[in-house]
Amino acid sequence: MSDRPCALVTHAAGYAGPPAVTALLEAGFHVLAHDTGFADGETWARYRAGRPHLEPVVATDPEEVVADALRRAPRLQVIVSNDHFPATAHSPETAPTSVLQDNLARLVEWPFRLIQAALPHLRSRGGANIVMITSNRTRLPLSGGAFPDAARAAANAMVRSLAVDCAADGIVVNAVAPNFLYSEAYYPRALFRESEQGRAYVRQNVPVGRLAEPEEIGEVIAFLATVRTRFLTGAVIDFSGGWPFGPARPTL
């Protein structure tokens, strides 16, 4: 183990995981990258690509992830909970409630259990920076989106409540809430970069006129992971290029 400060990034193979890992390495962290897919040696070798100060964590349950991380990195001081789940649309008439439970389990329960397991260690250290990657999709609800909307709204509310409960221990809890971030999880290249239909959809809906590049959210994650003030806590930072917005009102 190096003398660098240590950070844990969960579900690091997807969504904001790759840019989070890259940004934290560049910020001087030793990074523990969690993903069950890293149990495959070739997958991990491609992901690591020779980068030093990067180790895999392959446990499944959040409590096991924390336990493994602390065995490897007793100086753990940053957690990036990078949570994603397919945002499949369902008609209210036919929506299976089991899918609602799946959304809540992955986007709310899993990160809560991760933070709960880590709190005794983080409190004993006298402080830490927790960054949750959520979503601001609830600012403009879409037809069929009740399940992911409910889960993301719950996660953003949880950030604020956890910040209150952890503030006295010097633990700050903040979130980055993206939309229109390029990732294969939500805005896959084939549709939103290589298809004119997808590119037009982005231009029409995002004031910036494009998808966010992964390194751009990495910059924000690194800021929240390294911020020293304890007064910035409970923030949910929109990262969506000015979305949502409405057209100008007509004039006579």
Side-chain angles (χ1 to χ4, degrees), residues 102-124:
D102 292 341
N103 273 271
L104 293 170
R106 286 290 299 273
L107 300 177
V108 184
E109 179 185 341
W110 204 98
F112 178 83
R113 289 169 57 191
L114 180 86
I115 294 168
Q116 183 182 53
L119 275 179
H121 166 78
L122 301 180
R123 283 182 168 134
S124 71

Side-chain angles (χ1 to χ4, degrees), residues 246-252:
R249 295 175 62 181
T251 58
L252 292 177

